[in-house]
Amino acid sequence: MDLKVKQTLEDIFVAGLRAVDPEEAVKRHVRLTGNRLEVGERSYQLDSFERIIVTGFGKGTAPMASALENILGDRLTKGWITVKYGHGLPLKKVRIMEAGHPVPDEAGLRATRFILDQLEECADKDLVLCAFSGGGSALSPAPRAPLELSEKQQTTQLLLECGATIFELNSLRKHLSVCKGGQLARIASPATVVSLFLSDVVGDPLDVIASGPTVPDPSTFSDCLQIVERYGISERLPQRVFKLLRDGAGGLLGETPKAGDAAFEKIHNLVIGSNRASLLAASEKAKQLGFNTLILSSFLQGEAREVAEVLTAIGKEIASSGNPVPPPACILAGGETTVTIRGNGKGGRNQELALAAAISIKDWPQIALLSAGTDGSDGPTDAAGAYADGDTCQNALRKGMISRNHLSNNDSYHLFKSIGDLFITGPTRTNVMDVICLLVEKK
């Protein structure tokens, strides 16, 4: 890809990334005025609390906790958070534990048990400030008895391979856990709990972000069984997982807490950062660079390669007719696509989308695209995403790689690596899903 075009795409993406910096997001929504802590539109008199505790799970929680430390200073008693490996920061009073993502591991299990044990001791005059971000579900494994972590790992991996949405995945996670789906609120009760959410979910539903540890859960065991049946995986699930779901749907097990439960009487949940905020900032940057911009949606979902077809079709329309915006144009979209794994290659949803886009625009030299995860990681790779343009397929062919074969094998990573078009940022310590930037230059 032309280096100037690549730099333009990166500049637009980074502008969106800066807008959802977790530390800055916390500072915009949490203020200390004298002895009063203001969170959104609510206010808390700190002299009415004996202890102030910070806790949470997620890839972006370290900078969130850092901001809370700086705001509260000596008023903060202590805290514990869990982040993905490599996403920690040096903190003063908050202990950081690192664990596996997207598949939970033993380190995550130990960290979650430790945090839940601490929260069990909370009293009426405790204020618990929770920081939740994308990755929070995988980073807070606490299997419901009699399940073992390995059974939850198998279930998570199976759903990921089937292309299940985050809504579907988290419905099961909640019902296989003792802390998700509002259950952490029960554990921390009778403390006052304030939860700050950095959203990595389409539409920002609080009950889905990090599987809603302090939010009423609208999903049920019966919903979980329907998801299992929809993907035809009942016989592939661990036997005890399927039995637990079936027993729960039959009323033999207690449900996750619903709206109106006493556990939520002293809970305040607030979204402080989202994909839309990132898209708006990226759009402003694109305008500054001279592009006619259009934000399509922050609700993007669906199979990555199919979404690529739709986005590139819009790019072709712009190049051909100047609709819906004339070139030079910048089309922005955000959300989270899925990949149904059919091959044995390496990649992630953003790289797969970029490869499918490259195939679609191979005869359109004026179109270029960057698709990347705001967390800096795309699937089980070290890349955040990839660049694609009209020359991608030809450049790959020169390396002996046929783009369609790599797409069929879900092997986008090796193709983009061979031509130098992976987008690598390292851990960004934020996560508001993916941002896709499509540029259409004048002919």
Side-chain angles (χ1 to χ4, degrees):
M1 178 181 286
D2 178 82
L3 291 179
K4 183 178 179 181
V5 174
K6 186 179 285 190
Q7 187 62 57
T8 299
L9 286 164
E10 180 178 345
D11 289 346
I12 294 170
F13 180 88
V14 169
L17 199 61
R18 288 173 179 155
V20 288
D21 175 83
E23 189 162 0
E24 293 303 316
V26 170
K27 291 177 181 177
R28 285 195 297 269
H29 291 83
V30 181
R31 298 165 301 280
L32 182 64
T33 305
N35 203 40
R36 187 174 72 254
L37 187 69
E38 298 173 354
V39 183
E41 297 180 354
R42 297 199 186 184
S43 180
Y44 300 87
Q45 287 297 132
L46 296 186
D47 56 7
S48 63
F49 298 101
E50 293 180 355
R51 296 192 305 168
I52 302 175
I53 296 167
V54 168
T55 192
F57 317 98
K59 287 181 276 188
T61 53
M64 294 171 76
S66 176
L68 291 172
E69 280 193 342
N70 291 333
I71 292 168
L72 291 165
D74 292 339
R75 293 177 176 84
L76 177 61
T77 307
K78 56 184 175 179
W80 327 271
I81 61 172
T82 308
V83 302
K84 182 179 178 178
Y85 293 118
H87 285 60
L89 288 173
L91 299 179
K92 301 169 185 175
K93 290 189 176 182
V94 178
R95 174 182 171 185
I96 289 187
M97 296 169 280
E98 296 189 350
H101 175 279
V103 178
D105 63 5
E106 288 291 340
L109 178 61
R110 291 192 297 271
T112 306
R113 284 175 173 168
F114 175 81
I115 290 174
L116 296 183
D117 286 345
Q118 302 303 312
L119 294 179
E120 285 275 11
E121 299 177 2
C122 284
D124 183 61
K125 290 193 174 183
D126 288 334
L127 173 62
V128 180
L129 302 174
C130 297
F132 298 123
S133 74
S137 293
L139 292 165
S140 58
R144 186 167 185 163
L147 301 183
E148 299 289 340
L149 177 61
S150 60
E151 293 168 305
K152 285 195 68 177
Q153 289 172 323
Q154 293 173 43
T155 302
T156 299
Q157 191 62 44
L158 184 58
L159 288 165
L160 289 171
E161 291 174 358
C162 289
T165 68
I166 189 65
F167 298 89
E168 295 168 331
L169 180 58
N170 281 6
S171 291
L172 266 76
R173 281 169 161 168
K174 293 174 190 178
H175 288 84
L176 304 180
S177 169
V178 297
C179 74
K180 298 177 174 66
Q183 296 178 89
L184 189 145
R186 282 179 173 171
I187 292 170
S189 180
T192 297
V193 177
V194 177
S195 294
L196 306 175
F197 290 85
L198 192 67
S199 175
D200 69 328
V201 183
V202 170
D204 308 329
L206 284 166
D207 64 287
V208 182
I209 307 168
S211 294
T214 59
V215 183
D217 178 25
S219 70
T220 64
F221 278 110
S222 294
D223 293 332
C224 294
L225 275 184
Q226 290 177 15
I227 293 167
V228 168
E229 292 168 2
R230 185 177 307 137
Y231 289 102
I233 57 174
S234 57
E235 294 184 1
R236 298 169 62 193
L237 279 178
Q239 187 175 0
R240 291 199 298 184
V241 169
F242 185 67
K243 183 180 185 302
L244 187 147
L245 296 178
R246 190 176 54 198
D247 288 348
L252 300 178
L253 299 174
E255 263 289 358
T256 48
K258 311 303 179 188
D261 192 291
F264 304 115
E265 289 180 1
K266 297 166 70 177
I267 301 287
H268 178 205
N269 297 308
L270 180 68
V271 174
I272 63 170
S274 66
N275 185 264
R276 180 159 183 79
S278 182
L279 293 176
L280 288 169
S283 176
E284 285 303 312
K285 180 63 176 180
K287 289 176 183 176
Q288 293 172 15
L289 294 173
F291 290 93
N292 300 307
T293 68
L294 175 65
I295 297 176
L296 282 182
S297 176
S298 60
F299 285 74
L300 206 61
Q301 291 179 283
E303 192 74 21
R305 60 183 69 183
E306 295 173 3
V307 170
E309 290 288 344
V310 174
L311 292 176
T312 54
I314 294 171
K316 293 173 185 177
E317 185 64 37
I318 292 170
S320 299
S321 70
N323 288 310
V325 290
C330 175
I331 303 300
L332 293 160
E336 190 167 281
T337 61
T338 53
V339 172
T340 301
I341 298 175
R342 302 176 178 88
N344 58 5
K346 182 178 180 179
R349 59 181 181 265
N350 287 287
Q351 293 161 69
E352 177 131 339
L353 189 153
L355 181 53
I359 294 169
S360 177
I361 59 176
K362 63 183 178 68
D363 296 321
W364 297 79
Q366 66 271 54
I367 302 176
L369 171 143
L370 169 63
S371 182
T374 55
D375 60 353
S377 59
D378 185 32
T381 75
D382 59 355
Y387 300 96
D389 66 3
D391 293 329
T392 298
C393 294
Q394 188 61 36
N395 291 338
L397 191 58
R398 293 191 186 100
K399 298 286 186 177
M401 297 184 171
I402 300 173
S403 296
R404 288 191 182 277
N405 291 350
H406 277 261
L407 183 62
S408 297
N409 196 36
N410 301 115
D411 195 26
S412 51
Y413 178 87
H414 291 111
L415 184 144
F416 284 115
K417 184 177 182 180
S418 73
I419 62 175
D421 280 346
L422 287 174
F423 180 57
I424 298 177
T425 63
T428 64
R429 296 182 176 85
T430 189
N431 187 10
V432 292
M433 301 182 287
D434 305 330
V435 169
I436 303 161
C437 177
L438 185 143
L439 301 182
V440 184
E441 300 282 359
K442 290 181 179 179
K443 289 185 179 179

